[in-house]
Each structure stands twice: as structure tokens, then as C-alpha cells.
Amino acid sequence: QAQLVESGGGLVQAGGSLRLSCLASGRTFSSYTMGWFRQAPGKEREFVAVIRWDGAPLYNVDSVKGRFTISRDNAKNTVYLQMNSLTPDDTAVYYCAAGPILATSPSRYNYWGQGTQVTVSS
């Protein structure tokens, strides 16, 4: 009954910031890679950022462009995504995911949250 639950999404103006949180339950994910993917209407699911159990991060530099920071707190079984300088192109459903290895492909992740909507207005 492992679950991932996202929070922190919402409506924000261009140039603003949001912090997404993903709380895991049902098991300990301290040894798992955890991170974020996003999907806009009519688009394929896109890798955003992931972080390994020891804190080593991996970013999609084309989409993030230095604006996002991923972090985790293993004691709280939680991963975060700090998003700054948001633009309308960031509008999407953001999904939290967890998997056994560090990877950028969605197919390598075993657990998924329900998604949280992020909408950036111009």
C-alpha cells in the first residue's frame, strides 16, 4: 500500500515561485531515487528532476534552465521541488515518482503520485 501524495501546486503569475512536496507512505523510500515528471495537454510525459538516495541530483537542463532545485528529507520520507522564475511553459500536471535506480525514463519508476496541477499565467 505504498503511496506518493503531491502537494503545493496551484495558480501563480509568471515570474513567481512554487514549492512542490511529495510525501511517501506505506514503506520507507530512503534507498530509492525519487523525483518529478510533468505532462502538459497533448504532450508526452517529460522528465524534470530526480534525486538519488544520497542526495545526488539529476536535472533536465533544457526544461529547468537553472530555475528548479530538487531536494529530499529521508527522515520525513519526502522530496521537494523548488520552482522559481516560472513561465507559462511550465504549466502542466506534475507527478512525483519513486524507483530503485537513478534514471530519467518514466518506465524505470515503480511508484507514482496522483499529480498536482501547476498553472502559470502571463
Side-chain angles (χ1 to χ4, degrees):
Q1 294 184 305
Q3 292 184 335
L4 305 176
V5 180
E6 302 97 333
S7 63
L11 176 64
V12 65
Q13 294 181 348
S17 299
L18 286 173
R19 190 178 81 152
L20 305 183
S21 299
C22 174
L23 175 63
S25 63
R27 65 164 297 161
T28 299
F29 286 91
S30 59
S31 64
Y32 274 60
T33 295
M34 300 184 68
W36 299 90
F37 297 78
R38 68 186 184 185
Q39 189 165 20
K43 303 289 186 179
E44 294 185 348
R45 190 162 298 187
E46 179 187 39
F47 162 69
V48 178
V50 294
I51 184 168
R52 204 169 62 185
W53 65 272
D54 61 351
L58 190 63
Y59 295 98
N60 184 338
V61 296
D62 290 333
S63 61
V64 170
K65 299 179 181 179
R67 300 175 296 120
F68 295 1
T69 302
I70 190 169
S71 61
R72 68 187 297 165
D73 187 337
N74 286 339
K76 297 181 178 180
N77 222 17
T78 302
V79 64
Y80 306 95
L81 184 68
Q82 178 66 48
M83 304 186 294
N84 299 324
S85 302
L86 288 164
T87 76
D89 289 338
D90 296 313
T91 296
V93 177
Y94 284 69
Y95 296 92
C96 179
I101 63 171
L102 185 67
T104 61
S105 173
S107 65
R108 307 304 298 272
Y109 290 82
N110 307 104
Y111 303 95
W112 291 86
Q114 81 288 347
T116 185
Q117 177 70 47
V118 172
T119 303
V120 184
S121 62
S122 60

